[in-house]
Amino acid sequence: MSPLKRLAYFFGLPILLIVLWWALSFGSTNFFVPKPVELAQTLWTTWVGDRFFDDVLPSLGRLAIGLFFAIGLGIVLGLLIGSTRWLRNLLEPLLEFFRAIPPPVLVPLLMLLIGVNDGMKVAVIISGAIWPVLLNTVEGVRAVDSVLNDSCRSYGIRGFARIRYFVLPAVTPQIMAGVRQSLSIGLILMVISEMFASSSGLGFTIVQFQRNFAIPEMWSGIVVLGLIGLGLALIFQFVERRVLHWYHGLKEITHDS
């Protein structure tokens, strides 16, 4: 696909939605739905300045730390549990139990155990974002080709070498699928964690705007969250194309044949 066509696909629908929004809100006096130009002006005046450093950057820092530990722990624990049958059978009911608990309900408990601080907010992100990576890694290890697995044993490839050169490359597509899900979950939990007993951050600021009936400012905060989500998606696509270049190349060859 040509670069011009990619740009058309990327910006086409957003531009169409903005035009539709402008047409539907033209002449409207609805206090709760700002016009596109008004929202753009509010977005600039609200978030470009001190609030960017006081609210946006701290939120992004907590999100980055939470995702880093969630992805890292998910991969390590997933490889360990998936590679050990008795451990997988032992922990599977427990994993299903904790996975079924919605992470937002853990916020009061984490506030009691950790306190109202950045550590609590990071722990909330980890508590929800770890599961897609962990479970996808476990299932990926279980789905490894048994013939190739036996071949590794026959050639004496064991321990860390087996994980590094055989298991990890085989499960990387499943891991990346889990990472994609964990990014959106982490962003949601970042906002939720900042709505409880917080004095800064995007979630806190958006709630304050809503309580003070600062409707355009509230909408601008939602737009900032959307832009962060878009940025995470673009970064993920960039990393995925390089980590799984062999996988995408194989799919293209298979599709062409």
Side-chain angles (χ1 to χ4, degrees):
M1 186 182 298
S2 64
L4 185 60
K5 196 172 182 179
R6 289 181 180 177
L7 288 176
Y9 275 111
F10 187 80
F11 291 105
L13 183 58
I15 292 175
L16 179 62
L17 292 176
I18 292 174
V19 171
L20 181 62
W21 175 19
W22 176 83
L24 293 176
S25 62
F26 184 78
S28 174
T29 58
N30 191 336
F31 174 72
F32 298 102
V33 182
K35 296 179 176 63
V37 176
E38 178 188 2
L39 182 58
Q41 294 172 345
T42 305
L43 181 67
W44 179 267
T45 57
T46 302
W47 299 102
V48 178
D50 293 338
R51 185 167 275 118
F52 177 80
F53 297 98
D54 296 337
D55 293 317
V56 179
L57 285 185
S59 294
L60 291 177
R62 290 188 287 266
L63 176 62
I65 295 172
L67 289 175
F68 174 80
F69 282 103
I71 294 171
L73 289 173
I75 293 174
V76 172
L77 294 177
L79 290 173
L80 178 62
I81 296 171
S83 301
T84 311
R85 180 176 299 178
W86 68 265
L87 185 61
R88 184 171 66 244
N89 294 333
L90 178 66
L91 295 180
E92 189 171 8
L94 192 63
L95 293 178
E96 291 298 329
F97 173 81
F98 282 108
R99 184 181 68 88
I101 299 176
V105 305
L106 297 176
V107 174
L109 177 63
L110 293 174
M111 289 172 61
L112 292 175
L113 296 177
I114 302 176
V116 182
N117 49 39
D118 288 345
M120 181 273 294
K121 299 169 187 175
V122 171
V124 171
I125 296 172
I126 296 173
S127 67
I130 190 175
W131 295 109
V133 182
L134 174 60
L135 297 178
N136 273 273
T137 305
V138 171
E139 292 304 316
V141 174
R142 291 179 62 181
V144 168
D145 193 304
S146 59
V147 175
L148 294 177
N149 197 20
D150 293 338
S151 299
C152 283
R153 291 196 180 94
S154 299
Y155 283 101
I157 304 175
R158 302 179 184 277
F160 180 77
R162 176 178 173 273
I163 297 293
R164 169 65 180 84
Y165 296 105
F166 171 61
V167 176
L168 195 56
V171 303
T172 300
Q174 287 87 343
I175 291 175
M176 297 305 292
V179 171
R180 180 189 290 273
Q181 299 174 36
S182 70
L183 295 179
S184 58
I185 294 174
L187 183 59
I188 294 170
L189 293 176
M190 178 200 77
V191 177
I192 292 175
S193 69
E194 294 171 349
M195 291 180 174
F196 292 87
S198 181
S199 59
S200 65
L202 275 166
F204 167 80
T205 305
I206 292 173
V207 170
Q208 289 298 108
F209 286 150
Q210 183 266 334
R211 290 174 178 172
N212 294 324
F213 287 92
I215 304 302
E217 288 78 6
M218 180 192 72
W219 277 101
S220 70
I222 296 173
V223 171
V224 170
L225 288 175
L227 292 175
I228 293 173
L230 176 61
L232 288 175
L234 293 176
I235 293 172
F236 173 81
Q237 290 179 8
F238 176 82
V239 174
E240 184 194 34
R241 295 298 298 186
R242 279 146 185 80
V243 173
L244 296 178
H245 60 90
W246 59 271
Y247 179 74
H248 293 291
L250 181 62
K251 287 178 62 178
E252 292 176 1
I253 294 173
T254 305
H255 179 74
D256 292 339
S257 61

